Amino acid sequence: MRHKRIRALVLGCAISFLLSACGAAVEDSPLAAVFPDQASRMEASYFECGGMTTWELTQEEFEDLKSWALGLSLEEQTFDEGASPGDRDGGSGYTFQWGEHGFSYILSGDADYVLLEGTWYQVKNPSCPPLEIPGESAVTAEDVETLEAYHYIVPAAAERKIVTDEAAIQEVLDLLDSTVETNALPEPVTGGTTVSFRLYLASGEVEEWICEERADSVWALYGHGSTYETAADCAALWDSLPGESASAEEDMLPAR
């Protein structure tokens, strides 16, 4: 289930990146020498929680990856032995390889890093690689038997809606798929709103997402141990969900 959601999130992140102005090449990028004019076999791997998915890149994907990589702003970092991002538990990331060349992009939780030929670089303008991870398809409304939505400013005054309408469930899935993974979020809004979702899937699995209001019209989303952001209005989505709201006990609320 974890990879189903990540696949959609990475795709949404890629779209967000391609629509932004972050793709401008950074002069003298240490990654410039990594990309050959031609390569016969180009592979990408995504790893998370001990699992790894590897696939061969098309020429178009390779070119998109090159444009993205050369737009990264990198700052060389040094770490004590055993204290590098690669030595930490948790996190996820990508490895890209073609012939003798390649590099890794590490999502370590506090920041993003590039590992290139044994040297670590912190990414000053982090963004997801413009790639879709192959594998199982993303969750659809048909996969969700019931959606529980929660809304509160103060947890003790939380409200809950139980939703089975397929169109309404799809709206929530669309919001989750619009997110961008991030390590830098605006400050929380004082007295801000929290909207949470619990999805009961036909497979018997359960997904939980927490959406917190932040400054600058940004919402932080927490799910699967990662942090994301979206400009979608979670409070407005709650208002639009069908059904009567009822009081909810604090111990019913989805937790990080």
Side-chain angles (χ1 to χ4, degrees):
M1 188 65 253
R2 186 181 182 89
H3 288 292
K4 289 183 180 180
R5 177 57 54 204
I6 286 174
R7 179 176 182 267
L9 288 171
V10 171
L11 179 57
C13 185
I15 293 171
S16 174
F17 170 80
L18 292 173
L19 293 177
S20 74
C22 299
V26 176
E27 293 185 6
D28 301 322
S29 170
L31 289 171
V34 172
F35 291 91
D37 293 332
Q38 291 184 336
S40 59
R41 183 176 178 83
M42 303 162 288
E43 286 190 344
S45 297
Y46 177 81
F47 57 88
E48 181 191 32
C49 293
M52 178 176 288
T53 300
T54 299
W55 69 102
E56 189 168 351
L57 297 174
T58 66
Q59 187 63 41
E60 182 179 357
E61 288 175 323
F62 180 77
E63 294 300 329
D64 288 343
L65 179 68
K66 179 179 179 179
S67 296
W68 166 80
L70 296 185
L72 297 175
S73 177
L74 305 179
E75 182 178 285
E76 187 172 340
Q77 303 284 306
T78 57
F79 298 95
D80 293 334
E81 185 176 354
S84 75
D87 296 312
R88 302 172 189 170
D89 293 332
S92 56
Y94 299 80
T95 297
F96 307 106
Q97 192 73 37
W98 32 87
E100 298 179 354
H101 299 282
F103 67 99
S104 296
Y105 188 90
I106 310 300
L107 309 166
S108 69
D110 58 340
D112 291 2
Y113 295 90
V114 163
L115 176 60
L116 173 62
E117 297 178 345
T119 300
W120 287 98
Y121 299 86
Q122 183 175 349
V123 183
K124 311 304 291 184
N125 58 339
S127 63
C128 293
L131 299 172
E132 182 178 0
I133 301 172
E136 300 175 278
S137 60
V139 174
T140 68
E142 294 180 353
D143 299 322
V144 182
E145 291 188 336
T146 305
L147 166 71
E148 291 180 358
Y150 298 84
H151 173 276
Y152 62 88
I153 296 175
V154 179
E159 302 174 277
R160 178 177 71 154
K161 290 181 180 179
I162 298 177
V163 181
T164 57
D165 179 76
E166 191 170 299
I169 291 173
Q170 187 60 54
E171 286 188 47
V172 173
L173 295 179
D174 289 344
L175 178 144
L176 299 179
D177 288 350
S178 73
T179 57
V180 176
E181 191 164 1
T182 183
N183 292 308
L185 285 163
E187 291 296 315
V189 173
T190 302
T193 299
T194 298
V195 178
S196 302
F197 305 102
R198 180 177 290 124
L199 286 69
Y200 293 91
L201 307 182
S203 64
E205 297 174 283
V206 178
E207 278 199 13
E208 292 189 343
W209 292 84
I210 300 171
C211 188
E212 294 180 353
E213 187 177 7
R214 297 284 180 135
D216 303 324
S217 300
V218 168
W219 289 79
L221 279 88
Y222 303 94
H224 293 314
S226 297
T227 302
Y228 308 89
E229 70 172 85
T230 181
D233 190 334
C234 298
L237 178 57
W238 158 268
D239 290 337
S240 71
L241 292 176
E244 296 293 326
S245 61
S247 297
E249 300 294 330
E250 287 190 55
D251 60 5
M252 299 170 62
L253 302 176
R256 291 193 204 175

